[in-house]
Amino acid sequence: MTSTPSASGAAGSPGVAVIGYAFMGKAHSHAWRNVAALRPGAPGVRQQVLVGRDADAVAAAAGQYGWAESATDWREVLDRDDIDIVDVCVPGHLHAEVAIAALEAGKHVIAEKPLANTMAEAEKMVATAQAARERGVHSMVGFNYRRVPALALAQRHIADGRLGEVRQVRVSYLQDWLADEAAPMTWRLRRELAGSGALGDLASHAIDQVRFLIGQEVTAVNAMTHTFVPQRTGADGPEDVTVDDAAWGTLRTDGGAVVSLEVTRMATARKNALGIEVYGSNGALRFDLESLNHLDVCLDGADTFCRQLVTEQHDPYIDGWWPPGHVLGWDATFTNQAADFLAALAAGLEPTPSFEDGLAVQRVLAAIEASSARGGSCVEIDGGPL
């Protein structure tokens, strides 16, 4: 274990351990470092320990990100009395093991999405979370896009009935980092580590947004998945890609809405484009994550869209940030997420989205894979085996 000079937060503040120090570990570290300064009323935390397998690399990351210590054994960290919150930012195959152990050790848990690699793991995580909740130990799955101000405002408009009856939803999540067939092999392309490809990585966010925005559950799926580049070059030569590169689907909900879904990591020139369109009987909404401070609105029977800059102090999540027009970035979603998590803990409430929400998304992901395996035939989602 390695110590660094200082960490944010005062004595008595909850101590945080982040498990994983790469892309997501960095994003979550940024949030814990800034949450008390940027979100009004959020308590301070102690950035106690950053955990990773490579001792030198995690020590360097801990120093850069503001952690008091680094460690290489997450199990030892769970035994410590100075750790109150465990933030799980490791690859999917470790989510269940780490989160379950942390909850059983009495630590509050945030687990990055998707909740797990398999339905069995997700169901076990939910059962453990429910038992922990009875002891006052809480958990949350990290669907950070719920904390985009424009999407939170979109959800408010829909809940207030300003679109009327929601009829159709188009949701796509397009990236291009695998469009080049010479792009090298990575753990995200190995099913045993990642669980799935664009499906778990991107469709999990898209499906959570459908549930969050319109408040309806997906009940049936027709879908297909595809791998465009079946082999990539790894450290020891060519390796088979064992996950999907892209997925498409038509989803139906218990409220009667029909959802068109497309996710891919092969969309040339699209960097991080989560696009959402919601069409109702009396209005519509459009959003693109690559312009995350804007929401296109057509409300209350209007027949044209207006572009709204969602940075006013009365807009969701804007209080405590910057003056109107001083836009937020992608990183702000994690800070808002940390603030919501801490507020729920302070109130003794279960944070949202819960592990149950993560399981609901997992069921849709499993149904998409099952439908694709059956040539795109309809798969109904009823809570039973697929």
Side-chain angles (χ1 to χ4, degrees):
M1 184 173 296
T2 302
S3 297
T4 57
S6 63
S8 62
S13 300
V16 178
V18 167
I19 317 297
Y21 64 93
F23 176 35
M24 278 296 105
K26 182 176 183 178
H28 285 236
S29 294
H30 176 86
W32 294 119
R33 184 175 65 244
N34 292 309
V35 62
L38 294 172
R39 296 296 300 136
V45 298
R46 287 178 289 105
Q47 282 184 255
Q48 198 60 51
V49 58
L50 183 66
V51 185
R53 292 179 300 175
D54 185 313
D56 291 338
V58 73
Q64 179 182 353
Y65 304 160
W67 293 92
E69 308 167 38
S70 64
T72 57
D73 190 334
W74 60 265
R75 295 172 184 83
E76 289 184 357
V77 169
L78 299 188
D79 291 334
R80 292 172 46 165
D81 293 335
D82 62 347
I83 301 300
D84 305 290
I85 296 168
V86 172
D87 190 347
V88 182
C89 296
V90 291
H93 72 295
L94 294 173
H95 282 194
E97 181 182 7
V98 177
I100 288 170
L103 289 169
E104 290 177 341
K107 315 300 182 185
H108 304 296
V109 171
I110 296 180
E112 254 302 322
K113 62 82 208 167
L115 186 62
N117 274 8
T118 68
M119 283 292 299
E121 289 176 342
E123 288 169 347
K124 187 174 182 181
M125 290 173 75
V126 167
T128 304
Q130 290 172 341
R133 199 174 299 153
E134 297 297 318
R135 307 190 305 273
V137 178
H138 297 289
S139 53
M140 184 175 81
V141 61
F143 286 115
N144 60 299
Y145 294 142
R146 291 192 180 204
R147 273 74 187 193
V148 173
L151 286 173
L153 181 61
Q155 190 274 339
R156 183 185 295 174
H157 287 324
I158 295 168
D160 288 345
R162 300 190 67 185
L163 273 65
E165 177 190 358
V166 173
R167 295 168 172 164
Q168 294 177 250
V169 180
R170 296 179 64 193
V171 57
S172 60
Y173 203 155
L174 313 178
Q175 295 181 346
D176 73 350
W177 62 277
L178 288 175
D180 183 354
E181 65 182 24
M185 193 69 179
T186 164
W187 68 266
R188 291 183 180 274
L189 303 180
R190 299 183 180 106
R191 188 175 183 87
E192 69 274 16
L193 299 181
S196 62
L199 192 60
D201 189 16
L202 305 181
S204 59
H205 274 305
I207 294 160
D208 182 68
Q209 278 300 310
V210 171
R211 299 182 66 250
F212 169 65
L213 289 173
I214 70 174
Q216 299 178 22
E217 296 293 342
V218 177
T219 57
V221 168
N222 293 81
M224 64 174 289
T225 64
H226 189 69
T227 303
F228 290 101
V229 182
Q231 280 195 335
R232 294 192 182 262
T233 302
D236 299 317
E239 289 187 46
D240 289 339
V241 173
T242 51
V243 300
D244 58 278
D245 284 328
W248 303 263
T250 300
L251 287 52
R252 285 163 292 282
T253 74
D254 58 1
V258 178
V259 180
S260 171
L261 171 73
E262 178 182 8
V263 295
T264 178
R265 302 190 291 205
M266 305 287 284
T268 302
R270 301 309 300 268
K271 302 305 177 184
N272 196 38
L274 171 61
I276 300 170
E277 302 175 21
V278 183
Y279 297 100
S281 59
N282 205 40
L285 295 167
R286 294 188 307 207
F287 171 82
D288 185 343
L289 184 62
E290 291 183 344
S291 182
L292 65 77
N293 290 276
H294 293 96
L295 181 67
D296 292 339
V297 298
C298 173
L299 305 173
D300 304 323
D303 61 1
T304 58
F305 279 105
C306 296
R307 171 151 288 197
Q308 181 176 354
L309 181 63
V310 188
T311 60
E312 298 291 332
Q313 289 302 306
H314 59 264
D315 288 326
Y317 291 109
I318 296 299
D319 57 318
W321 285 99
W322 318 122
H326 292 68
V327 296
L328 274 63
W330 178 82
D331 58 310
T333 65
F334 295 95
T335 305
N336 292 335
Q337 175 177 272
D340 281 355
F341 184 75
L342 292 170
L345 296 186
L349 302 174
E350 186 71 358
T352 57
S354 65
F355 276 19
E356 287 89 341
D357 290 312
L359 176 59
V361 171
Q362 203 85 33
R363 288 192 181 280
V364 181
L365 298 179
I368 289 171
E369 287 200 307
S371 176
S372 181
R374 301 171 194 175
S377 62
C378 182
V379 172
E380 295 186 354
I381 304 172
D382 59 5
L386 297 170

